């Protein structure tokens, strides 16, 4: 830290104009050094003040929140769940259900308050009329009755406690919305009835074991990439499409008919552009729908530095930030591609993270180890350390492959020509801050 306080000269910000290039360079270097020294002195003084008063640091971090597209995200105004499932409407299902639940609780609370007031008035009238009680009865009335004590606070107590809350007693900010997991049980009833095979009822028979048939487009060269997908999706098989001159070229509709007869639950078609994966079409059998994804940033395991070698264990599945009806439909599609009973012994996990309608596809192997000295402890959603996990950290090793998906269209059923009848298609919304998933 400099011994004396540095201040910028009054001429430091002036637009000096000189014909001598060397003098311009020297002046620029001097101004830059003075500004850097001033910033460094301010940074050290702020650090010294925050070490004495930690509240200053929390206030500074609360003010310096970056304004990103995720924080500017807007939703459609929806008062009730749409009858058609709401695939083209971007609204938070969990937030809508929480708001409905809060409104119902407020209504029931108001009714209970009215009943309590009427009961209090009746009891006051009875006390005024009966003035001949004995002393023993008065002593019995003074004794507390444990059975009539209400363990829950009243609505008036909740309001008074909210007013007494200070900034120091408030809970720390939760993590960003993009780091929260998807609650698959919040699917609207209209959406579940529209796609019954993707939303099986809880009391019904269990869904069949996932089994995928993977193929490519006609005259494709992505045989190695398609074979890699078989190691990613359990119980999958790769079958090449015939590109012979005199061979019969099967359509996707005919391939789906063949797959449904052989107890396959989905068909995946890998598309290419300039000998690189450019798209992925997933058909949910036996009746659809058909999902069309575009692929970008496809990397095999060998292209990832420090990658590991995947095993044949069934991986765990993590679905992040699918909150709209369209997002839940996409999440249920990916859930139908993996068995419900992962093999924990393999310590493999597949992550599908949605952010700004881009789905980041990753596969890792994890291991629990002891926390190092310079590492921080695991923090929960409330910003506090998780109990029992203070000295434990998780190490990750990426296994590959790695890709980024973007949903382009959802077709109705299995069509001869794609795009004839669609349930949803992209590029219908021109607002940058409105996301569909």
């Amino acid at each position: 830290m400099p011994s004396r306080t540095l201040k910028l000269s009054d001429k430091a910000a002036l637009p000096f104009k000189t014909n001598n290039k060397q003098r311009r360079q020297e002046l620029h270097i001097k101004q830059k050094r003075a500004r850097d020294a001033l910033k460094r002195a301010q940074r050290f003084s702020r650090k010294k003040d925050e070490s004495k008063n930690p509240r200053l640091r929390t206030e500074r971090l609360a003010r310096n929140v970056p304004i990103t597209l995720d924080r500017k995200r807007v939703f459609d105004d929806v008062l009730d769940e749409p009858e058609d499932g709401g695939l083209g409407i971007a609204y938070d299902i969990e937030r809508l259900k929480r708001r409905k639940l809060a409104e119902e609780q407020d209504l029931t609370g108001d009714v209970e308050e009215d009943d309590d007031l009427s009961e209090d008035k009746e009891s006051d009238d009875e006390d005024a009329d009966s003035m001949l009680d004995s002393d023993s009865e008065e002593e019995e009335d003074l004794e507390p009755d444990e059975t009539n004590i209400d363990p829950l606070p009243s609505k008036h107590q909740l309001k008074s406690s909210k007013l007494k809350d200070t900034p120091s007693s408030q809970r720390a900010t939760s993590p960003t919305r993009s780091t929260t997991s998807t609650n698959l049980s919040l699917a609207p009833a209209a959406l579940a009835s529209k796609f019954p095979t993707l939303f099986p009822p809880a009391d019904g028979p269990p869904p069949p074991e996932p089994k995928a048939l993977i193929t490519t487009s006609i005259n494709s060269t992505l045989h190695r990439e398609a074979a890699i997908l078989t190691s990613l999706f359990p119980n999958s098989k790769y079958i090449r499409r015939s590109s012979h001159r005199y061979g019969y070229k099967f359509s996707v509709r005919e391939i789906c008919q063949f797959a449904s007869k052989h107890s396959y639950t989905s068909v995946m078609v890998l598309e290419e552009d300039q000998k690189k994966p450019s798209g992925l079409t997933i058909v949910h059998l036996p009746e659809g729908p058909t999902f069309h994804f575009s692929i970008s940033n496809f990397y095999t395991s060998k292209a990832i530095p420090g990658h590991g070698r995947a095993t044949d264990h069934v991986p765990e599945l993590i679905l992040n930030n699918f909150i709209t009806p369209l997002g839940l439909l996409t999440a249920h599609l990916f859930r139908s591609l993996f068995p419900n009973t992962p093999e924990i012994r393999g310590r493999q996990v597949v992550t599908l993270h949605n952010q700004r309608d881009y789905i980041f596809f990753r596969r890792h192997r994890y291991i629990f180890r002891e926390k190092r000295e310079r590492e921080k402890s695991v923090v929960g959603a409330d910003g506090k350390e998780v109990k029992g996990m203070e000295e434990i950290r998780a190490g990750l090793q990426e296994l590959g492959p790695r890709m980024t998906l973007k949903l382009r269209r959802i077709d109705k059923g299995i069509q001869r020509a794609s795009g004839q009848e669609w349930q949803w298609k992209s590029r219908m919304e021109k607002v940058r801050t409105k996301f569909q998933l």
Side-chain angles (χ1 to χ4, degrees), residues 271 277-280 292-296 358 404-408:
E271 302 169 0
S278 63
L280 183 66
H292 299 271
F293 297 90
S294 62
I295 297 179
S296 60
Y358 286 94
T404 304
L405 305 175
K406 188 174 179 63
L407 183 62
R408 296 299 181 181

Side-chain angles (χ1 to χ4, degrees), residues 153-166 169-170:
S154 63
K155 192 173 182 181
H156 177 70
Q157 293 175 349
L158 290 175
K159 290 182 179 179
S160 61
S161 63
K162 289 180 181 178
L163 295 175
K164 293 179 181 179
D165 285 341
T166 58
S169 63
Q170 292 179 357

Side-chain angles (χ1 to χ4, degrees), residues 7-19:
K7 293 183 179 180
L8 288 175
S9 174
D10 298 336
K11 301 180 181 180
L14 293 177
F16 287 100
K17 294 182 180 180
T18 177
N19 295 330

Side-chain angles (χ1 to χ4, degrees), residues 57-66 71 167-177 179-180 379-385:
R57 184 174 185 274
T58 57
E59 293 177 355
R60 177 176 61 85
L61 294 178
R63 290 193 306 268
N64 299 339
V65 177
R71 291 191 172 271
S168 60
S169 63
Q170 292 179 357
R171 194 185 74 173
T173 56
S174 300
T176 57
R177 193 68 178 91
T179 60
T180 56
V379 179
D382 55 352
K384 299 179 181 179
E385 296 183 359

Side-chain angles (χ1 to χ4, degrees), residues 341-367:
T341 55
E343 297 177 356
I344 308 299
R345 183 185 296 271
R347 295 183 287 107
Q348 294 183 160
V349 57
V350 172
T351 306
L352 289 151
H353 176 76
N354 170 45
Q355 189 170 2
R356 302 177 188 176
D357 288 349
Y358 286 94
I359 304 173
F360 299 94
F361 202 108
R362 302 290 186 269
R363 179 169 59 165
H364 294 87
R365 179 182 290 116
Y366 62 89
I367 185 173

Side-chain angles (χ1 to χ4, degrees), residues 248-266:
Y248 182 78
K249 297 176 177 59
F250 291 91
S251 64
V252 176
R253 191 183 183 92
E254 293 171 335
I255 294 173
C256 293
Q257 292 176 358
F258 166 82
S260 60
K261 291 179 181 179
H262 290 76
S263 68
Y264 284 94
T265 59
S266 60

